[in-house]
Amino acid sequence: MGSGTSPMGSAGGGNAAADKEKKGQGETGGPVLEKAQKCCGCRFPLLVALLQLLLGIAVAAVAFLMVTISSSLLARETPHWAGIIMIVVSLVGFILFCITRVPDESASAQFILKLLYFFLCTMGLVISVVVIAFQCYHYVLTNSYSCKEMGEYCSCTLDPEDPIARTFTYSGVTDCSAIVSTLPMYYLLQMVLNLAQAIVCLVGAFLLWKHRYQVFFAGLQTGSPSAQNWQKV
């Protein structure tokens, strides 16, 4: 009877063991670190980079379709460059995802990649906003056009009754309906795609900042040398 074990003591010992196990996992960067690296069930930045890749391809594809309407369209009207830049940003994100978090040896490379990805996400956000502004301007402009066909090009003006009004000429267009109906649709589609692109870039930069993914291993060793436990700072 005197040698019985108290239930409270047993429960306390179990809790202490569980706390010790959790503490050990946190120090070694086990499940705690793995959970911190995930966003919506996917390890960061896989989901963000995948969305950036798809949106970049979509923006570039729509821009090249716009060029087929008329070769006179300016680069700001066909923002294929914005899509290509976003594809580059996504590739950096995929490289960042593939890098294994190892201590000391690749700390500087990881830090540079994370800093580069943060900078590119910020730049992608700014570029997307600029593209949206240009597309809005041209969308309003083309909706005010009054066009007439002149051989192999289409001549458009804002006020057909004004003899000195500015004239916009689109070469390689045999049907002016492509300018007054199809082109505004592409402008609107570009606005939607670039808005989504800007949101994804903002989310990527925000997650990188909020969850402190820019933190890298400094090579501080805790515990015995044989255990090879490393601590983030």
Side-chain angles (χ1 to χ4, degrees):
M1 293 179 64
S3 61
T5 303
S6 173
M8 294 295 292
S10 176
N15 292 335
D19 293 340
K20 185 176 181 181
E21 182 180 357
K22 290 180 180 179
K23 183 178 179 181
Q25 290 177 351
E27 290 178 353
T28 57
V32 176
L33 179 59
E34 187 67 24
K35 183 178 179 181
Q37 292 177 349
K38 290 188 177 181
C39 174
C40 301
C42 296
R43 184 178 174 185
F44 183 84
L46 179 60
L47 182 61
V48 175
L50 183 60
L51 289 175
Q52 287 173 336
L53 178 63
L54 295 177
L55 289 171
I57 293 174
V59 169
V62 173
F64 286 123
L65 286 176
M66 295 170 70
V67 175
T68 60
I69 296 178
S70 175
S71 58
S72 301
L73 293 175
L74 302 175
R76 65 185 183 186
E77 299 179 72
T78 56
H80 55 275
W81 40 273
I84 294 174
I85 292 174
M86 192 53 53
I87 292 174
V88 174
V89 176
S90 68
L91 293 179
V92 175
F94 283 124
I95 295 173
L96 181 59
F97 167 73
C98 294
I99 287 183
T100 305
R101 296 172 67 91
V102 295
D104 195 36
E105 289 83 4
S106 300
S108 58
Q110 291 176 22
F111 176 75
I112 291 173
L113 269 178
K114 291 169 187 177
L115 187 62
L116 177 63
Y117 186 67
F118 179 81
F119 171 75
L120 289 177
C121 282
T122 306
M123 185 177 69
L125 172 62
V126 175
I127 289 175
S128 297
V129 172
V130 171
V131 171
I132 292 173
F134 279 133
Q135 299 302 301
C136 286
Y137 169 75
H138 289 291
Y139 176 77
V140 174
L141 194 65
T142 52
N143 279 331
S144 304
Y145 276 170
S146 177
C147 302
K148 58 181 178 179
E149 299 174 7
M150 293 184 175
E152 294 184 354
Y153 65 92
C154 182
S155 178
C156 301
T157 182
L158 297 176
D159 188 1
E161 297 180 357
D162 188 358
I164 61 173
R166 184 180 178 184
T167 302
F168 301 88
T169 303
Y170 297 91
S171 61
V173 180
T174 57
D175 186 5
C176 288
S177 62
I179 301 298
V180 296
S181 61
T182 307
L183 196 57
M185 181 187 67
Y186 282 138
Y187 287 144
L188 187 61
L189 184 58
Q190 284 285 9
M191 283 188 280
V192 174
L193 290 175
N194 279 276
L195 178 60
Q197 195 169 259
I199 293 174
V200 172
C201 286
L202 179 62
V203 170
F206 175 73
L207 289 177
L208 197 63
W209 179 264
K210 178 182 177 182
H211 297 288
R212 301 178 64 185
Y213 285 104
Q214 74 274 19
V215 175
F216 61 98
F217 285 97
L220 296 181
Q221 188 175 8
T222 60
S224 61
S226 59
Q228 293 296 320
N229 294 327
W230 300 84
Q231 182 180 3
K232 286 194 310 178
V233 294

